[in-house]
């Protein structure tokens, strides 16, 4: 298979064949988790296939832009998974800049996600009427697109605020401070309901406006009823797809720029980088700001998608989950961050929850195994309740058997496999 994927024509045939066969399987077995996971795996095969870049790009665009929405129209749950994967891919790519490229361990990354989410939630709902004069809120739905940029600015500002006091820290001390920052944001969101009600505290904020369906007149003109229940999942999917595409493009451009090389130099040896003229303060602040800005954007989108947010959406475990995605895929690697986010999200939303549902079905049906009834199985043993333990095991196994991640950056891979960088 590896040899075939290394040749353009067989690689094209195999990739297209796998994508079409798995898409056909999903369309005929819409409740089959295995079929949908095989469809996702076929996209990974496309990544490894050796073929001209424009061919691979066209196939990826057709798969994600045409096939995926079609499959989502058959089973809306798959579209929900695709949206969640896209949100976590953008988060993982943002954290990949801070942790993977600049080598700054950030355990409070979800705080920037929360800043973006609350930015739109407060002004895109009646919440702002509680502390601003007049009844001007919620803002019109069209403001959503402007707030995608406002979320970038707010989160980048928060990133700089965090970066300023931790410029001299690294390693464990930096991790502790960023962890504290993440908790400070969550506690603020939990308690800023008095004396002035900014965030509505633990009750959360709802209803939050969704982006406007500005193309509704066009749909009506061609005879399609723009039912929000049908349109919004597809609409949000394409917005997520656009944000992920933009995030990948910015990551790629920054990775190859002198800024990206400065971050890598800081990651490898901060003292040597400073001696070679790399501006430490500016580079670190830029890393925090860039990484945070992606989280701010998807935070705005997340609040609009969920319609409701509260502080429990932004706990420390969310930061750990995103960090696990970066480590699993390979720190400093853009394809690795994408793959890590996809694997962890699918494992969480599909595999573990699917196993729990399957066990419940067997329990309700009174199935017995070797004379022991599954009705006696305690509900505490459902796989979905052990997702964090599973992620922890994955991280431990990765550190032992493949510390460079599934799809490591080329430089990192060479260092860990060939011993490059060691003195001879």
């Amino acid at each position: 298979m590896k040899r075939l994927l290394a040749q353009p024509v067989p690689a094209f045939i195999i990739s297209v064949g796998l994508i079409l066969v798995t898409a056909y399987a999903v369309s005929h077995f819409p409740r089959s988790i295995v079929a949908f996971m095989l469809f996702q795996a076929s996209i990974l095969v496309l990544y490894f296939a050796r073929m001209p870049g424009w061919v691979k790009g066209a196939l990826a665009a057709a798969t994600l832009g045409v096939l995926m929405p079609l499959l989502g129209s058959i089973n809306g749950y798959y579209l929900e998974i695709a949206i969640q994967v896209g949100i976590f891919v953008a988060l993982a790519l943002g954290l990949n800049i801070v942790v993977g490229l600049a080598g700054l361990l950030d355990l409070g990354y979800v705080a920037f996600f929360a800043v973006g989410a609350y930015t739109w939630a407060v002004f895109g709902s009646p919440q702002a009427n509680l502390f601003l004069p007049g009844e001007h809120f919620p803002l019109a739905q069209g403001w959503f697109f402007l707030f995608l940029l406002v979320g970038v600015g707010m989160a980048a500002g928060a990133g700089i605020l965090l970066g300023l006091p931790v410029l001299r820290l690294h390693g464990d001390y930096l991790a502790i401070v960023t962890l504290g920052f993440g908790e400070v944001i969550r506690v603020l969101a939990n308690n800023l309901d008095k004396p002035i009600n900014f965030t509505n505290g633990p009750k959360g904020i709802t209803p939050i406006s969704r982006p406007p369906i500005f193309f509704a007149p066009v749909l009506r003109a061609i005879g399609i009823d723009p039912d929000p229940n049908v349109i919004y999942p597809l609409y949000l999917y394409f917005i997520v797809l656009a944000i992920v595409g933009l995030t990948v493009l910015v990551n790629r451009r920054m990775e190859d720029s002198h800024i990206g090389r400065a971050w890598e130099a800081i990651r490898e040896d901060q003292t040597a980088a400073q001696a070679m003229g790399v501006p430490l303060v500016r580079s670190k602040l830029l890393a925090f700001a860039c990484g945070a800005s992606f989280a701010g954007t998807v935070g705005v989108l997340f609040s609009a998608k969920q319609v409701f947010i509260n502080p429990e959406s932004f706990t420390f475990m969310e930061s750990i989950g995103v960090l696990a995605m970066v480590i699993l895929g390979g720190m400093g690697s853009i394809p690795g961050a994408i793959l890590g986010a996809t694997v962890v999200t699918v494992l969480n939303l599909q595999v573990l929850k699917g196993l729990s549902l399957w066990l419940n079905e067997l329990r309700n049906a009174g199935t017995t195994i070797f004379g022991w009834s599954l009705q006696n199985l305690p509900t505490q043993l459902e796989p979905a309740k052990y997702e964090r333990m599973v992620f922890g095991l994955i991280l431990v196994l990765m550190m032992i058997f493949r510390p460079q991640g599934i799809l490591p950056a080329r430089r990192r891979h060479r260092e860990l496999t060939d011993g490059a960088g060691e003195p001879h």
Side-chain angles (χ1 to χ4, degrees), residues 120-154:
W120 174 241
V122 169
F123 296 101
S125 72
Q127 179 66 26
N129 292 323
L130 299 178
F131 59 89
L132 289 177
E135 294 290 331
H136 304 296
F137 302 96
L139 293 173
Q141 289 178 312
W143 283 84
F144 168 80
F145 295 105
L146 178 64
F147 267 71
L148 285 176
L149 299 178
V150 174
V152 169
M154 292 290 290

Side-chain angles (χ1 to χ4, degrees), residues 25 154 195 231 238 262-263 270 278-279 287 296 302 312 314 340 366 391-392 411 420 423:
M154 292 290 290
I231 293 296
F238 280 107
W263 287 336
Q270 182 172 303
V278 173
F302 176 77
E312 294 308 308
F314 312 101
F391 294 161
R411 178 191 172 99

Side-chain angles (χ1 to χ4, degrees), residues 4 58 68 173 213 215 235 265 272 305 324 331 366 377 393 400-401:
L4 290 174
M68 187 62 234
Y173 301 104
I213 307 177
F215 47 85
Y235 187 21
K305 171 186 169 295
M331 289 194 290
L377 186 70
L393 283 175
I400 295 173
F401 297 107

Side-chain angles (χ1 to χ4, degrees), residues 5-200:
L5 288 176
Q7 302 173 43
V9 175
F12 176 81
I13 295 171
I14 291 173
S15 302
V16 173
L18 282 175
I19 289 171
L20 291 178
V21 167
T22 52
Y24 179 82
V26 174
S27 64
H28 280 72
F29 304 99
R31 294 192 63 188
S32 171
I33 294 175
V34 175
F36 186 60
M37 290 182 68
L38 288 174
F39 174 71
Q40 294 166 325
S42 68
I43 300 174
L44 184 63
V45 173
L46 177 62
Y47 169 76
F48 285 109
R50 288 280 184 85
M51 61 180 80
W54 68 271
V55 177
K56 191 182 287 190
L59 285 177
T63 306
L64 296 176
V66 179
L67 274 181
M68 187 62 234
L70 285 175
L71 297 178
S73 64
I74 296 171
N75 187 340
Y77 179 60
Y78 294 151
L79 207 56
E80 170 66 19
I81 289 176
I83 294 171
Q84 294 278 359
V85 166
I87 288 174
F88 281 109
V89 163
L91 285 173
L93 286 170
L95 187 61
N96 187 49
I97 289 179
V98 184
V99 178
L101 288 181
L104 304 168
L105 184 54
D106 187 349
L107 294 183
Y109 187 68
V110 77
F112 308 120
F113 188 45
V115 168
Y118 269 93
T119 300
W120 174 241
V122 169
F123 296 101
S125 72
Q127 179 66 26
N129 292 323
L130 299 178
F131 59 89
L132 289 177
E135 294 290 331
H136 304 296
F137 302 96
L139 293 173
Q141 289 178 312
W143 283 84
F144 168 80
F145 295 105
L146 178 64
F147 267 71
L148 285 176
L149 299 178
V150 174
V152 169
M154 292 290 290
I160 293 173
L161 279 179
L162 170 64
L164 279 173
V166 301
L167 285 174
R168 295 181 181 277
L169 302 179
H170 56 86
D172 299 342
Y173 301 104
L174 177 64
I176 291 170
V177 172
T178 53
L179 186 155
F181 176 76
E183 285 300 291
V184 164
I185 295 293
R186 188 183 65 80
V187 171
L188 279 177
N190 218 7
N191 291 282
L192 276 181
D193 57 340
K194 59 185 83 165
I196 302 174
N197 191 349
F198 289 106
T199 62
N200 210 27

